[in-house]
Amino acid sequence: MKTADRCLRFLLFTLLVAAPHRAGIAQTTSQTKRPDLDFDIFGDKEKSGAVTVVQPKGLALESVIAAEKYYVGPSDVFSVNIWSSPPLTYQLTVTPEGTLILPMVGEVHVASLTLAAAREKTLAALHRAYLRSEVTMTLVTPRPLVVFVQGQVLNPGSYTMAAYNRVDKAVEEADRPLVNQNQYQRDAVERTASRRRIIVRHTDGSLDRVDVPKFLATAEDRWDPYLREGDRIVVPVNDFDRNVIGVYGEVNAPGRIEFAEGDSVKDALRIAYGFTPHALADSVELSRQDSTGRIVERAYVDGRNVMEGKEPDIALEPGDRILVPGVVDERGDFRVVVIGEVRHPGTYPISRTTSRLSRVIATAGGFTDNASLETAEVQRHTLAPDQADLERLQSLRGGVPPDDSAYYDLETSFRLRKEVVNVDFVKLFRGRDSTEDVTLLDGDVISVPSLKKTVYVFGQVVNPGHVPFAPGQDVWYYIRKAGGATDRAREGDVKLVKAKTRQWLSPSGQTVEEGDYVWVPKDPERPFGYYLNIVAQSAAVISVALSAIAIAIQVRK
């Protein structure tokens, strides 16, 4: 009879208690969506304008929740498993009063306990009711909770977060810019907000100091704890002109670091993410200033021993600087690119300062039969693209005459895109002139064009186009081959344009080479008024001259 009573009580509990709690779980989960976000913190699909944002189901966790660090609260969902025959499974939600209602047991208060303590307390109660069965308890869904963020943030106020979030996540949400906030407001907060002296006041009156950079460097939970209900987070102001320390040299994240009370050399090196492979860790220099900004003390420590606890750590003060020297190592991926008419185009490694052009060409297999040494060149880029504007301004500072400024700007713009190393491939590779064997630098491009086998004639000729190259012939030969000059040609101003340098030269005394260009300009068309104006001006000049002569004659009489 007692067994029947127990079964009846168990069925009533299942119908009246467990089922409503399952409904409560679904309701709680559906209400966890932030009003200013387009997705559910536990995974959901929502419309964001015309874009559908799909978040994966499940929790986005940085790591496994630490049972000793996570504090239980209302709306946490647990799975309680009783491994009897048949096994029983219940999903139970912590009530607003902070209790779990357990089958065959009753209420167990778990709020404000760590997950480890809540599990121990709950399992102890269940074991008293289920003496012969193994019982387990697992956190299934962390709860949403409300925290308050104040101080130096863009948007102070209350925020709904997931309980597995840390303090820095709430601060990040409070710093999320709104539409009506300009860049000046954002920059002002970023310049003055502390990230190492954040204070968290819990509802039980206890305080935590949050140090986000130290947490990221050490992964120690105490520097960025999990959130709890009702936490009040205060982000203080920091003076980044004075309340800073500097870590420079061979560390993985050199720069200025906000100073926090209790900082030491070890802390600073850890926040800078330790030494690089080139660091001289046994010769770390610490310099200290007085109130006037003068360096009054220098000390040298073995940084590696300090990090490993083999030597005493040194407390820091605001304004201290740490310099980690490094080993001189000039090794690098120095390389040049060879393109065009060589047997094996590609990228070739070179030394930093001793590799010669002839050696690289030999490594590339030499030239093909179709290589044009006359137009081959070595291209060099000495400036990064983001330095071009500064270089152009510096080039114009020297007082370029107004008549030359446009041309000088054009030449400077061309130079910024491609500089050419002065080398004559013909003399070097055919004439064996070693003085032309230039030293290559990292990033150089060796360009060997193909033989053109033509001279291009254009402008005022009958048939503009490519004319087969004939060694020893002058400009007029190619003009005749192009059908001769037209009636509108200005033959006195014909120019020979060199293929390699693009120089415009007078054809007199010049040798036409393969790939060159011949330009025949057009005699400009001018209206009748242009010539009439010239006649009028000439007549005026003549009239003035005649008048001057007449006056001179009269004076002599």
Side-chain angles (χ1 to χ4, degrees):
M1 189 67 181
K2 290 182 179 179
T3 303
D5 288 343
R6 290 185 64 181
C7 292
L8 180 60
R9 285 161 53 194
F10 173 74
L11 290 174
L12 288 173
F13 170 81
T14 303
L15 293 173
L16 299 177
V17 178
H21 275 289
R22 289 193 181 93
I25 293 168
Q27 182 178 4
T28 300
T29 303
S30 67
Q31 293 175 352
T32 57
K33 188 174 64 175
R34 280 273 308 277
D36 58 335
L37 298 180
D38 291 327
F39 53 86
D40 193 294
I41 62 173
F42 300 127
D44 202 352
K45 179 190 291 185
E46 295 289 335
K47 292 285 186 178
S48 176
V51 180
T52 299
V53 180
V54 180
Q55 291 294 322
K57 297 293 182 181
L59 308 181
L61 299 176
E62 65 184 48
S63 64
V64 174
I65 291 177
E68 296 78 14
K69 305 295 182 182
Y70 182 92
Y71 285 84
V72 176
S75 297
D76 275 333
V77 180
F78 291 91
S79 175
V80 175
N81 302 282
I82 303 169
W83 303 102
S84 58
S85 182
L88 302 174
T89 299
Y90 303 97
Q91 282 202 356
L92 306 178
T93 302
V94 179
T95 68
E97 296 180 351
T99 63
L100 277 176
I101 301 177
L102 304 177
M104 309 298 295
V105 174
E107 289 186 314
V108 175
H109 193 277
V110 294
S112 299
L113 298 178
T114 64
L115 178 56
R119 180 184 288 125
E120 182 180 358
K121 184 177 181 180
T122 302
L123 293 181
L126 287 169
H127 277 303
R128 290 194 292 268
Y130 300 94
L131 298 176
R132 299 182 179 179
S133 300
E134 181 182 357
V135 182
T136 60
M137 174 181 171
T138 303
L139 176 66
V140 176
T141 306
R143 68 195 181 281
L145 48 77
V146 175
V147 297
F148 303 89
V149 185
Q150 301 166 322
Q152 199 68 3
V153 291
L154 278 174
N155 307 297
S158 62
Y159 289 87
T160 302
M161 309 294 297
Y164 55 81
N165 287 142
R166 298 182 184 272
V167 173
D168 71 303
K169 184 64 177 177
V171 175
E172 180 183 322
E173 287 298 316
D175 271 335
R176 194 181 298 277
L178 302 178
V179 175
N180 61 345
Q181 288 170 332
N182 56 40
Q183 191 62 44
Y184 176 80
Q185 293 174 291
R186 304 176 194 177
D187 292 342
V189 169
E190 185 176 350
R191 286 194 305 268
T192 57
S194 172
R195 287 296 180 266
R196 300 198 59 205
R197 296 181 293 112
I198 299 171
I199 300 300
V200 181
R201 185 183 298 276
H202 304 295
T203 54
D204 62 3
S206 61
L207 297 176
D208 279 323
R209 192 196 102 192
V210 175
D211 189 331
V212 177
K214 190 176 285 190
F215 169 74
L216 295 176
T218 65
E220 294 179 11
D221 291 322
R222 65 192 177 110
W223 299 119
D224 193 9
Y226 292 114
L227 294 169
R228 306 188 214 172
E229 281 87 358
D231 278 350
R232 293 192 174 272
I233 303 166
V234 179
V235 180
V237 174
N238 185 63
D239 185 350
F240 282 95
D241 291 326
R242 297 180 179 85
N243 198 47
V244 294
I245 54 180
V247 185
Y248 304 105
E250 293 296 331
V251 290
N252 289 302
R256 307 174 79 205
I257 300 172
E258 177 188 353
F259 174 79
E261 195 66 34
D263 273 348
S264 65
V265 170
K266 183 177 181 178
D267 291 328
L269 292 174
R270 293 174 78 179
I271 292 174
Y273 295 98
F275 303 112
T276 70
H278 302 300
L280 290 173
D282 60 349
S283 304
V284 175
E285 176 188 294
L286 170 63
S287 60
R288 178 158 295 167
Q289 307 173 63
D290 62 13
S291 59
T292 65
R294 294 184 302 114
I295 295 178
V296 294
E297 183 181 350
R298 293 184 190 273
Y300 294 88
V301 299
D302 188 325
R304 202 172 300 280
N305 284 344
V306 170
M307 295 287 284
E308 295 173 358
K310 298 178 181 178
E311 289 187 12
D313 202 355
I314 301 175
L316 296 178
E317 297 178 2
D320 285 353
R321 271 79 58 84
I322 296 173
L323 174 63
V324 181
V327 179
V328 177
D329 189 343
E330 296 184 350
R331 290 177 293 183
D333 183 19
F334 308 117
R335 62 198 188 278
V336 296
V337 177
V338 185
I339 59 176
E341 294 294 337
V342 292
R343 299 195 183 280
H344 306 294
T347 301
Y348 290 89
I350 62 170
S351 67
R352 186 181 182 189
T353 57
T354 60
S355 293
R356 300 283 183 172
L357 173 60
S358 60
R359 178 61 181 169
V360 172
I361 293 297
T363 305
F367 302 109
T368 67
D369 295 337
N370 199 40
S372 173
L373 300 188
E374 289 78 6
T375 57
E377 62 184 11
V378 177
Q379 303 169 7
R380 182 165 292 170
H381 300 272
T382 59
L383 286 174
D386 58 349
Q387 297 176 313
D389 289 340
L390 176 60
E391 173 67 14
R392 184 177 288 105
L393 291 174
Q394 289 178 329
S395 298
L396 294 173
R397 287 180 64 190
V400 181
D403 293 343
D404 295 334
S405 60
Y407 176 66
Y408 184 80
D409 187 58
L410 173 64
E411 287 294 325
T412 300
S413 299
F414 179 77
R415 180 175 64 84
L416 294 175
R417 286 167 174 78
K418 184 184 74 171
E419 295 178 346
V420 178
V421 179
N422 193 0
V423 54
D424 191 321
F425 278 69
V426 175
K427 289 182 180 180
L428 173 59
F429 292 100
R430 290 180 186 164
R432 304 299 179 184
D433 184 352
S434 61
T435 62
E436 297 288 337
D437 200 3
V438 297
T439 300
L440 299 175
L441 299 182
D442 180 41
D444 283 352
V445 177
I446 304 170
S447 175
V448 184
S450 304
L451 289 170
K452 294 290 194 302
K453 300 180 181 179
T454 61
V455 172
Y456 191 77
V457 184
F458 61 121
Q460 290 300 309
V461 292
V462 175
N463 297 308
H466 289 278
V467 176
F469 175 67
Q473 297 296 334
D474 61 9
V475 164
W476 308 109
Y477 166 82
Y478 293 99
I479 292 176
R480 289 193 299 272
K481 284 293 186 179
T486 66
D487 294 339
R488 303 305 305 275
R490 195 166 73 250
E491 297 185 37
D493 290 330
V494 170
K495 297 295 181 183
L496 175 65
V497 184
K498 302 303 290 180
K500 183 175 182 179
T501 64
R502 294 299 193 271
Q503 287 182 298
W504 289 54
L505 304 175
S506 174
S508 177
Q510 297 294 329
T511 300
V512 180
E513 297 176 311
E514 188 175 335
D516 286 351
Y517 305 83
V518 176
W519 165 248
V520 181
K522 180 180 180 181
D523 194 19
E525 295 183 9
R526 295 187 174 92
F528 177 75
Y530 171 80
Y531 298 100
L532 186 61
N533 186 43
I534 292 178
V535 172
Q537 291 177 355
S538 300
V541 171
I542 293 171
S543 175
V544 171
L546 291 175
S547 298
I549 292 172
I551 293 172
I553 293 172
Q554 291 295 329
V555 170
R556 288 180 181 180
K557 290 181 178 181

